[in-house]
Amino acid sequence: MDTANLKRLNAARRARRAVMLVTDMERGTDQVILEGEPVDGALRKAVVTTFRSGTSGTFVIAGGTCFLNVHVPPPHLVIIGAVHISQFLAQIAALAGFDVRIIDPRTAFATPERFAGIDLTAGWPVDVLEDRPLDAYTAVVAVTHDPKIDDFPIGKALRSGCFYVGALGSRKTHGSRLERLKKEGFSDEELARIHGPIGLDIGASSPAEIAVAIVAQIIQALRSSKR
């Protein structure tokens, strides 16, 4: 592999950017393509298909054979609020293969004892998300019921193109949330991306069941985004 291409590939992976190494099997040459970059000619369809599926493969393109090695960031779940339901949500999401982190400025809730082994930050989302930004491979779930904590990360998730945005609360609570976000300049189309009430409608009642419903809805959104 060309050294410059290797550096570009590794830089993209560190930045959680979907990236692909395209190798011409006959010439032995390669190129790096970031998701969203313009691609010309017959290669374009294969690149789009491979990014969408997240599966590497060999393609016959313009009479030649190319291997498309795609690197897609692992799905990431950011939970806003270190509440009781978050304990189940973090465990189930981690078992499903998500990188999980929890953010909550309330130190009485955000304690290592309650979230052993989980990436936990006792800080305000406005500060924490500045250092570790959201991206298109991230799901954001807000569960504190406190607008001072939840609203900013929800808005940030919409602006960052997160594949899933959800917020816990009743229909009345969600209606008030939408009104506040409208005043922040979000359109009806953008606000329609927020899942609220959150989770698949499976009749969940306990915190553990609600967590299952939420993770199922997140997985549904993740897999739908790749179709």
Side-chain angles (χ1 to χ4, degrees), residues 28-48:
T29 58
D30 51 52
Q31 62 175 310
V32 172
I33 300 172
L34 292 171
E35 186 175 27
E37 284 187 338
V39 180
D40 297 328
L43 180 61
R44 181 179 183 280
K45 183 178 180 181
V47 167
V48 171

Side-chain angles (χ1 to χ4, degrees), residues 8-19 34 71-74:
R8 189 168 185 237
L9 180 68
N10 288 336
R13 295 181 68 182
R14 285 193 298 270
R16 287 182 54 83
R17 293 283 306 276
V19 63
L34 292 171
H71 300 269
V72 178

Side-chain angles (χ1 to χ4, degrees), residues 69-87:
N69 189 7
V70 63
H71 300 269
V72 178
H76 188 196
L77 172 60
V78 176
I79 303 169
I80 306 299
V83 298
H84 186 43
I85 193 173
S86 303
Q87 293 175 294

Side-chain angles (χ1 to χ4, degrees), residues 104-153:
D104 195 325
R106 302 169 300 180
T107 54
F109 291 89
T111 64
E113 294 76 18
R114 298 181 67 231
F115 295 95
I118 300 296
D119 183 349
L120 176 67
T121 302
W124 286 93
V126 65
D127 299 318
V128 179
L129 296 179
E130 182 69 26
D131 295 330
R132 298 174 62 184
L134 304 174
D135 57 47
Y137 293 89
T138 299
V140 172
V141 174
V143 294
T144 74
H145 293 284
D146 187 339
K148 297 190 300 297
I149 302 174
D150 285 349
D151 283 5
F152 175 82

Side-chain angles (χ1 to χ4, degrees), residues 156-179:
K156 191 72 171 177
L158 293 175
R159 292 192 174 100
S160 301
C162 291
F163 76 86
Y164 179 91
V165 186
L168 197 64
S170 65
R171 295 187 185 280
K172 180 178 179 181
T173 298
H174 187 57
S176 299
R177 178 186 298 122
L178 296 180
E179 289 302 318

